[in-house]
Amino acid sequence: MDGTEYLIKVLSRFRMADFPKLLKSWDFLSERQLQRVNFNEKTRKDLVLQLATLCEDNGVTLTQVADLEIIYNCAYPQKKRWNAYQMFSSKGGEEIKLFDFGDFRKAFEINLKMLIRNVTINILEDGEAVWIRIAWGKRHSPPNQQRASYAVYYPQTPYVFMANLAAQYRVYVSQALVVTTEHNMLKEMDLRGHCLNSLRDIALKRFNPALSTHHRKPLQQLNASQESVQDQRITIEHLKEKEDAKRLTSAVFGEGSLPKLEQVHYRLQTVFKDEHDRGILSDRRKPFRCVAKFSSPNILESLRALPALGVADVPISTMFSSIPEKGKNYFKITDKRAVEPNMPAL
């Protein structure tokens, strides 16, 4: 596949309203060339072919088309599923160095190509983030541009978010990143989703301050105030319950916007507990296993709405309300008696 062929595939993903803005950000076609294109009177197919012809006349390459694809993904990061990673350093309290994009790009390319040569690497800055696109090749075939991996690194933080990264290549990207950023190791967090900005805000603790701490005793005291005087009218009791539920929910989740997560997973591993000591399954050594999965366009907003709908008690369990604080939406819950070697309990 040459540059023009792949350019047509990339441009075909654009919405009609995207063409002027994204092409201007790409800065491959001149202002004069863009003025010759009528973005309003052409069908998508005609517009893509005209733009491909202009770019072909300019000698477009796969590397330049890859830059355009990064720009498109910067505009629509939600089209990918991102995994969060955290880097660690053995040097405690070292002075923070100023980030230089040129030095980072050069060092990362060198470090990665020392590990695996048959790759193409494109790196662009977008706001506070550095976007890395990697197309992987095999021994006797060129890099597959249509299955490129992405990494988004936030300079002067230990966090990076990756998408479309096969397990066989993870070690190469991890080592290149930790060496380039002068860390020692990279560890995957139990934090995944499609909304990159929300994952970033959770990792960097930029969410609503009300979510950062949970005061269980005050919440219990607030919850006690829900007890109504018996001689009050039922309608007043219901109104008071709703007001208390709203107050308790706001105390836990806050009233501002919440980070967007689409799923929460709880993987349960626990042994059978026989409270009456009747011997029922007491001799079973292997733990029971199950997975509880909650899905919603926005899990945290949905949880905040449950008490007002009367389908959840208040305060909401910290298993749900502490999701942003713990920086994860994938949990493993184990019973201490069921913990196997090298398996930590939650």
Side-chain angles (χ1 to χ4, degrees):
M1 183 183 297
D2 62 17
T4 303
E5 290 175 327
Y6 194 56
L7 176 65
I8 292 174
K9 289 184 176 293
V10 173
L11 291 175
S12 297
R13 305 176 201 166
F14 285 26
R15 300 175 183 176
M16 291 298 289
D18 291 336
F19 286 96
K21 180 180 179 180
L22 298 185
L23 290 173
K24 188 173 182 179
S25 299
W26 187 31
D27 198 27
F28 179 74
L29 295 172
S30 67
E31 190 68 30
R32 185 176 179 180
Q33 287 176 313
L34 290 175
Q35 289 175 355
R36 289 165 48 193
V37 180
N38 189 333
F39 293 101
N40 298 319
E41 297 185 1
K42 290 183 175 293
T43 65
R44 179 195 298 270
K45 183 178 179 180
D46 291 339
L47 182 57
V48 167
L49 292 177
Q50 182 184 6
L51 290 169
T53 300
L54 285 174
C55 293
E56 187 175 30
D57 292 341
N58 285 9
V60 69
T61 64
L62 277 173
T63 299
Q64 292 162 329
V65 178
D67 285 342
L68 178 61
E69 189 177 38
I70 293 179
I71 293 171
Y72 172 79
N73 282 291
C74 289
Y76 297 103
Q78 69 274 14
K79 291 183 178 292
K80 297 188 179 297
R81 187 172 183 271
W82 301 93
N83 286 27
Y85 295 80
Q86 183 176 3
M87 293 181 286
F88 297 90
S89 176
S90 60
K91 301 177 182 179
E94 70 271 19
E95 184 178 347
I96 298 177
K97 298 180 181 179
L98 293 176
F99 177 77
D100 184 277
F101 174 71
D103 292 344
F104 174 88
R105 179 169 58 184
K106 182 178 180 180
F108 181 84
E109 290 180 357
I110 291 174
N111 290 327
L112 184 59
K113 288 190 174 181
M114 286 178 62
L115 302 171
I116 180 169
R117 291 189 172 276
N118 193 11
V119 295
T120 58
I121 307 168
N122 294 73
I123 305 177
L124 295 179
E125 274 189 303
D126 181 64
E128 61 178 339
V130 173
W131 282 67
I132 305 170
R133 178 189 182 275
I134 308 168
W136 308 92
K138 297 182 179 180
R139 180 175 298 180
H140 301 296
S141 61
N144 188 342
Q145 302 297 329
Q146 299 185 74
R147 294 188 177 180
S149 303
Y150 279 84
V152 180
Y153 168 61
Y154 289 88
Q156 297 183 332
T157 79
Y159 298 105
V160 60
F161 304 87
M162 303 187 198
N164 298 353
L165 182 61
Q168 65 189 101
Y169 300 126
R170 190 178 304 165
V171 63
Y172 302 129
V173 179
S174 299
Q175 186 167 340
L177 276 170
V178 298
V179 172
T180 302
T181 59
E182 299 182 1
H183 287 84
N184 297 106
M185 64 174 293
L186 181 144
K187 183 179 179 181
E188 183 175 5
M189 303 168 63
D190 293 320
L191 180 63
R192 304 159 201 167
H194 289 274
C195 186
L196 179 60
N197 288 343
S198 290
L199 298 178
R200 174 204 63 195
D201 291 345
I202 291 173
L204 297 178
K205 305 296 183 185
R206 291 182 179 176
F207 48 82
N208 192 320
L211 293 169
S212 61
T213 54
H214 296 272
H215 305 285
R216 300 187 65 90
K217 186 175 180 180
L219 283 175
Q220 292 169 356
Q221 293 173 353
L222 284 170
N223 197 30
S225 68
Q226 293 183 42
E227 298 179 0
S228 303
V229 180
Q230 292 183 358
D231 59 351
Q232 286 183 328
R233 296 176 59 183
I234 294 178
T235 54
I236 297 178
E237 291 178 0
H238 288 175
L239 178 61
K240 187 175 186 300
E241 287 176 0
K242 288 183 178 180
E243 291 175 350
D244 287 340
K246 181 179 179 181
R247 181 158 43 88
L248 284 165
T249 304
S250 297
V252 175
F253 288 103
E255 297 181 354
S257 60
L258 297 171
K260 185 177 180 181
L261 295 172
E262 300 86 10
Q263 292 184 348
V264 180
H265 285 238
Y266 294 92
R267 186 177 297 275
L268 177 67
Q269 278 188 208
T270 181
V271 296
F272 179 81
K273 297 181 180 179
D274 184 5
E275 296 179 357
H276 302 288
D277 195 22
R278 295 177 180 175
I280 303 175
L281 296 178
S282 298
D283 57 345
R284 178 186 171 92
R285 295 183 179 181
K286 294 183 179 180
F288 292 95
R289 293 177 172 87
C290 71
V291 176
K293 174 182 173 182
F294 300 86
S295 300
S296 170
N298 192 328
I299 282 288
L300 295 177
E301 290 286 2
S302 298
L303 290 170
R304 181 162 63 176
L306 291 180
L309 296 173
V311 294
D313 294 331
V314 286
I316 292 287
S317 170
T318 54
M319 288 182 63
F320 297 108
S321 60
S322 65
I323 289 171
E325 178 191 1
K326 292 182 177 179
K328 59 169 67 176
N329 58 341
Y330 281 71
F331 297 87
K332 181 185 291 184
I333 303 174
T334 60
D335 188 286
K336 290 183 178 180
R337 291 180 296 172
V339 172
E340 298 173 1
N342 301 322
M343 180 186 295
L346 181 66

